Amino acid sequence: LGALAALLGVAAAGLYASWGLSLSHYDAKAHLVVARRILDSLTPSWEQIGAVWLPLPHVLNALPVQVDALYRTGGSAIAISVAAFALTAACLAALVMRLTGSRAGAGLAAALVALNPSTLYLQSTPMTEPLMLGLTLAAVAMLVEWCVVADSDNERANLQVRRIGIVFALACLTRYEAWPVTVVALAGAVLTRRASQSF
């Protein structure tokens, strides 16, 4: 499903680019400016990351947007959005499959997101929402897997917990909406694990 979503995302991004809509939102251009000025400004430094936005999307684009073509088109940031869109669809399908065991339900859940016109447009721009959605859903899917499948190997279990923490941290460095999701998901995971250990 992730590969299909990626193909759909690339096609949608190409279509919106051909219509000249990739950078039509003011924030889409602003994200590129913030990323570019980290290395290319009157006072280049890490302090240029500072803005109302969280840093991860700008750090990821800091080097690519030094290439004028990628800066003017938003190509690198759009590629990240498309990859995050595919990750979102794949993780949502995996999450539904894990919780329900229904292939049809997993496919439908992924299709509802992947075929949504608003989501398709958003992933065709340098906006930060697609990256946040992809990282947050990936972290939640990993967390659910950790709750459901208890690993008896402590070293492997600890590695899995660290990976989950890293993905949640990356989501929290992308958009503020990931913060409450992270708190609720981690609290739910703790309660779930405690409840399963008490049986």
Side-chain angles (χ1 to χ4, degrees), residues 143 146-147 183-197:
L143 190 62
W146 176 75
C147 287
V183 171
V184 171
L186 293 177
V190 168
L191 292 174
T192 301
R193 287 300 288 253
R194 282 188 180 167
S196 68
Q197 288 170 1

Side-chain angles (χ1 to χ4, degrees), residues 21-111:
L21 296 174
S22 300
L23 302 179
S24 60
H25 194 289
Y26 175 80
D27 283 354
K29 295 175 186 172
H31 286 302
L32 297 171
V33 170
V34 170
R36 173 95 175 214
R37 73 183 184 197
I38 296 169
L39 299 174
D40 181 14
S41 65
L42 292 175
T43 54
S45 78
W46 64 270
E47 293 169 331
Q48 295 293 342
I49 299 171
V52 294
W53 294 305
L54 292 167
L56 183 61
H58 307 118
V59 170
L60 292 177
N61 279 301
L63 286 177
V65 296
Q66 303 309 312
V67 177
D68 277 346
L70 296 177
Y71 174 66
R72 296 186 191 288
T73 63
S76 60
I78 292 169
I80 291 170
S81 290
V82 170
F85 171 74
L87 180 64
T88 298
C91 289
L92 187 57
L95 195 53
V96 171
M97 185 67 188
R98 166 53 74 187
L99 295 175
T100 68
S102 169
R103 287 183 183 274
L108 181 61

